[in-house]
Amino acid sequence: SGLPDIYQEGRNQLDLVYSQRIFRRLTLRLSADNLTNDPFEFTQGDLRQRYFELGRTFSVNFGFSAF
């Protein structure tokens, strides 16, 4: 009576963000996303249906406040 349901397996994800005001109106923001780089895995019964990794992302941002 049909195929088994598809389930997304559990995964861990660690994101870090650091923000610091450098001068009165300037802010620095550092971020690192998905540091564990755990894969996304979907299973259907005992079979792997889909599997992919997004990779890690790093960014540096500067913010300026006019007020």
Side-chain angles (χ1 to χ4, degrees), residues 15-32:
D15 301 333
L16 297 175
V17 176
Y18 174 78
S19 182
Q20 177 67 46
R21 182 172 294 183
I22 301 174
F23 298 106
R24 194 171 118 179
R25 295 184 176 175
L26 185 64
T27 303
L28 169 67
R29 184 176 186 261
L30 306 172
S31 65

Side-chain angles (χ1 to χ4, degrees), residues 34-49:
N34 196 26
L35 291 175
T36 56
N37 198 27
D38 277 359
F40 286 86
E41 185 174 5
F42 297 84
T43 56
Q44 187 173 28
D46 292 334
L47 300 175
R48 181 188 287 174
Q49 179 71 11

